[in-house]
Amino acid sequence: MKKPQPTSVVTGAAGFLGSHLTDLLLARGYKVIGIDNFVTGTVDNISHLGGHPRFKFIQQDVSEFIFLNEPVDYVWHFASPASPVDYLELPIQTLKVGSLGTHKALGLARHKQARFLLASTSEIYGDPLVHPQTEDYWGNVNPIGPRGCYDEAKRFAEAMTMAYHREHKVETRIVRIFNTYGPRMRLHDGRVVPSFISQALKHKPVTVFGKGRQTRSFCYVSDLIEGIYRLMMSRYGSPMNIGNPSEMTVLEFAREIIRATNSRSRIIFKPLPQDDPRQRRPDITRARKILRWDPKVRLTEGLARTVEYFRGKV
Ligand code: UDP
């Protein structure tokens, strides 16, 4: 008899990462049940899946009870606003999805005896005092600052995930996602990649915050999703950084975008938002060793694909 295809539930399936993950799972033969309430996700990201025989979509806030009839093998919990601009506008929803939503998604995994993966974030390291960030660093987070709603929600989510693992023996995975870019980011989500690309494509000034000396390292979405898939399929239950360790300043990044878009834009400087982390770069020793994973897509190549996507949008 043919083995039934395993079923994955993806929360936040209409978001940037959730939709790319859904595509990968479908390509690898899974059934996927996507859940999203479209607070920051968009139907455009999943419209190509309409009528797919192995894809089902439920429009729901995952902070509410999740009821599913069928067996589930994997729960991938990706639902959350993820851009600083979004979570500044939606602090309570961000806290709710990270806490209540994670609780519901874990409850679903427990009930179905499914394996659970939490999409956590480099933000749990706050404005890090350890550089590059290793998974055993506990972080430097301001709980009451403007980013606190996201950072603390994700820290709570990690604690809740470990509690379900310890108390209910749910098989759990935690990925700490560093800055990621690629097609399907929202043009106006306020993050640096869509902001700079849309400004550059329109030859408008590129807005660097502060002096642009803060650093980030950018991972192309296909690399990230592959790393996360490997983590879920691994036996590794402690948190794992996934991101690209090639670090640059935001000012260098602005110049890179201007080059990639052949733009006539100039760079202007705007005030640095409160608690903006000064440096960020993942230590990916664990992922390299345990998952045999390394990012493959170079920045120039990833940016070319991303710029192509945004050309059709601006
Ligand atoms: N940033 C910037 N100009 C913009 C948007 C963002 O200089 O128009 C900076 C921001 O201050 C931060 C970095 O780019 O230092 C990355 O910001 P993003 O919002 O993408 O995500 P973060 O890494 O801060 O979560």
Side-chain angles (χ1 to χ4, degrees):
M1 207 175 74
K2 226 177 118 195
K3 221 170 135 233
Q5 294 135 330
T7 299
S8 274
V9 169
V10 177
T11 76
F16 167 46
L17 297 182
S19 67
H20 283 286
L21 172 66
T22 298
D23 284 347
L24 177 130
L25 292 171
L26 289 171
R28 294 192 179 168
Y30 292 79
K31 287 188 201 159
V32 178
I33 302 168
I35 307 180
D36 206 298
N37 63 353
F38 298 122
V39 165
T40 55
T42 136
V43 82
D44 292 350
N45 288 344
I46 49 168
S47 53
H48 60 288
L49 301 176
H52 192 295
R54 281 182 283 110
F55 181 65
K56 191 164 107 180
F57 183 75
I58 299 170
Q59 184 170 348
Q60 194 196 309
D61 180 346
V62 294
S63 307
E64 311 285 338
F65 188 85
I66 306 167
F67 177 79
L68 295 174
N69 248 330
E70 54 267 74
V72 175
D73 304 282
Y74 300 98
V75 176
W76 311 73
H77 182 41
F78 277 67
S80 177
S83 136
V85 172
D86 287 337
Y87 50 74
L88 266 176
E89 269 171 27
L90 304 164
I92 295 171
Q93 290 200 52
T94 302
L95 279 157
K96 281 179 74 180
V97 75
S99 54
L100 307 180
T102 303
H103 182 220
K104 295 287 180 292
L106 277 162
L108 176 72
R110 180 188 176 206
H111 181 69
K112 301 286 184 186
Q113 294 178 313
R115 195 179 293 175
F116 175 89
L117 180 140
L118 171 69
S120 185
T121 166
S122 56
E123 282 284 322
I124 68 109
Y125 301 121
D127 189 7
L129 305 177
V130 166
H131 191 73
Q133 291 77 57
T134 47
E135 289 91 346
D136 51 16
Y137 177 48
W138 292 351
N140 178 38
V141 169
N142 174 3
I144 57 165
R147 301 171 88 104
C149 58
Y150 184 64
D151 301 8
E152 295 296 0
K154 290 291 188 181
R155 291 171 69 94
F156 177 94
E158 288 198 7
M160 184 65 113
T161 300
M162 291 313 293
Y164 264 66
H165 172 65
R166 293 191 179 112
E167 192 173 332
H168 296 313
K169 311 293 175 224
V170 175
E171 262 204 76
T172 55
R173 308 284 180 264
I174 296 173
V175 57
R176 293 186 179 148
I177 298 172
F178 283 67
N179 293 68
T180 303
Y181 70 100
R184 300 189 193 156
M185 294 187 96
R186 270 154 50 234
L187 190 57
H188 300 296
D189 87 350
R191 278 187 283 195
V192 70
V193 175
S195 299
F196 283 3
I197 294 180
S198 74
Q199 290 162 346
L201 285 174
K202 291 188 268 186
H203 305 287
K204 295 225 167 107
V206 169
T207 54
V208 167
F209 295 165
K211 295 195 169 79
R213 282 195 206 127
Q214 67 276 34
T215 67
R216 294 293 185 275
S217 51
F218 296 94
C219 186
Y220 189 66
V221 63
S222 59
D223 279 335
L224 182 98
I225 298 296
E226 177 61 34
I228 291 175
Y229 180 81
R230 288 190 195 186
L231 177 63
M232 178 67 115
M233 298 308 152
S234 78
R235 299 159 62 90
Y236 195 74
S238 296
M240 171 99 61
N241 290 338
I242 299 281
N244 191 318
S246 112
E247 181 183 7
M248 61 176 69
T249 66
V250 167
L251 185 58
E252 285 165 345
F253 189 62
R255 294 197 183 112
E256 195 63 47
I257 298 275
I258 291 173
R259 247 196 311 275
T261 47
N262 260 325
S263 172
R264 295 189 302 277
S265 292
R266 63 197 175 87
I267 291 172
I268 60 167
F269 296 90
K270 297 257 179 170
L272 187 66
Q274 192 194 327
D275 296 339
D276 198 290
R278 281 163 293 179
Q279 51 181 3
R280 181 182 287 158
R281 168 154 69 100
D283 182 314
I284 57 166
T285 311
R286 257 188 210 181
R288 283 188 170 130
K289 202 168 139 210
I290 292 165
L291 308 179
R292 306 239 164 268
W293 175 87
D294 229 326
K296 300 250 174 316
V297 181
R298 299 168 73 89
L299 186 67
T300 44
E301 190 190 334
L303 279 183
R305 291 188 215 165
T306 311
V307 166
E308 214 32 59
Y309 171 81
F310 280 114
R311 262 188 219 287
K313 301 269 168 197
V314 292

